[in-house]
Amino acid sequence: ANARRDANSPAPASSASGAQPEAPARREPDRPGWRDGRRYNPEPALAVLFERFGGVDNALHVLAKATAEDSKDPVMWSDLGNAYRVKGETDLAIASFETALRLRPHPDFYLNLGGVRFVLGETEEAVRLFTMGLSLNPRHVLLQYSLGNALQSMGRKEDAARAFESTLRIQPDFAAADQLLKKLKRQIRKDKSRPWPYIIATGFLLLAIVNAAQTVVNRAVMRERLAAQGIGSANGVGHENGRGNGFPKHRGKKGRH
């Protein structure tokens, strides 16, 4: 009864005065891609990586224990990051991959971290990470392929095509890279042939605008000349008796007697 309560332990549910605990505050619903205030982007396709553990849940338990016992093993941190990716724990996955990279920069770790950034829509950062991984191993086929995908999503079609070409030079039977490359080349050819109709149409439009402007200028100049000569009204109609249009008043010829 006289035991002291630790300062960090939770307060008792009720006091001696009989006060009731406050109702928990109502939490706003998570926005898309978030859960419990953290980013949430599950990648179930990666679950095949953990079949040797008997499933991703077992893998998380084993890997979390392994990294706690030996925090200097970058491979364990990278595997843990991929397990978090499967479960959608994106922030924990990022922290795990960054730890692995601090311990040992490796192309596979750049691939994993870049993959998470790409899923989050942070495409420029993903490209930077894939490029850094390729600087360590230019023949890393998955890095080349991932770089191509990221560049394609940014609309950098020619750069993406070069990345897929590099992928196929490393692994000629990479079917997905081959299909994407063929699609990109068709788009690039179409883009290069497309401008001419637009250029021609734009040229005709500009010519019409210039002609219209020249007509307006010519009319203005003519009105100024007529006004300077005292000829015609503003709308070009002559004055009475014909003097306004520059001709003398008509006088009939006298007949001969």
Side-chain angles (χ1 to χ4, degrees):
N2 296 326
R4 296 176 59 187
R5 185 171 59 87
D6 186 80
N8 295 322
S9 63
S14 60
S15 65
S17 62
Q20 297 298 317
E22 294 182 2
R26 184 178 178 182
R27 190 173 67 83
E28 294 296 325
D30 289 314
R31 58 186 185 273
W34 290 73
R35 189 175 70 176
D36 297 331
R38 292 188 304 206
R39 284 178 288 193
Y40 179 70
N41 291 276
E43 299 179 65
L46 297 175
V48 296
L49 299 174
F50 303 102
E51 290 178 351
R52 69 185 189 275
F53 290 93
V56 68
D57 291 323
N58 286 338
L60 277 171
H61 175 74
V62 171
L63 293 168
K65 183 178 179 181
T67 52
E69 293 174 352
D70 181 8
S71 61
K72 301 298 183 182
D73 187 337
V75 175
M76 288 295 179
W77 280 109
S78 181
D79 287 346
L80 180 61
N82 278 325
Y84 282 133
R85 288 174 72 181
V86 176
K87 303 295 286 185
E89 298 286 355
T90 308
D91 290 327
L92 294 175
I94 289 172
S96 298
F97 294 137
E98 289 178 342
T99 300
L101 282 167
R102 281 195 298 271
L103 293 169
R104 187 177 73 185
H106 191 279
D108 288 346
F109 306 157
Y110 281 111
L111 173 69
N112 293 334
L113 182 55
V116 177
R117 296 297 187 186
F118 182 69
V119 168
L120 290 174
E122 300 173 9
T123 315
E124 290 186 2
E125 177 64 8
V127 168
R128 186 186 73 84
L129 291 165
F130 295 147
T131 303
M132 290 181 69
L134 286 168
S135 70
L136 299 176
N137 181 8
R139 293 187 59 80
H140 195 295
V141 66
L142 290 178
L143 276 171
Q144 289 285 4
Y145 178 71
S146 299
L147 178 62
N149 274 314
L151 291 169
Q152 182 182 19
S153 72
M154 297 172 70
R156 295 170 57 179
K157 297 177 183 177
E158 294 186 358
D159 291 336
R162 284 191 285 271
F164 290 135
E165 287 170 347
S166 297
T167 303
L168 291 168
R169 280 195 295 270
I170 300 166
Q171 185 176 326
D173 62 347
F174 202 131
D178 184 57
Q179 292 173 2
L180 288 172
L181 178 60
K182 289 176 179 176
K183 182 180 178 181
L184 272 175
K185 286 186 173 180
R186 287 194 298 269
Q187 292 175 349
I188 291 169
R189 284 195 298 268
K190 186 177 180 181
D191 290 344
K192 288 183 177 179
S193 63
R194 183 179 299 168
W196 287 109
Y198 292 98
I199 292 172
I200 293 170
T202 302
F204 279 119
L205 178 61
L206 290 173
L207 183 61
I209 293 172
V210 170
N211 288 337
Q214 189 63 46
T215 300
V216 172
V217 171
N218 289 341
R219 288 178 179 175
V221 170
M222 183 60 69
R223 283 198 298 269
E224 290 179 359
R225 288 178 179 175
L226 292 174
Q229 296 174 13
I231 301 171
S233 62
N235 59 10
V237 179
H239 290 298
E240 184 182 8
N241 297 328
R243 290 185 180 277
N245 57 19
F247 295 99
K249 183 177 180 182
H250 176 74
R251 296 178 181 177
K253 294 182 179 180
K254 295 181 179 179
R256 293 183 180 179
H257 300 289

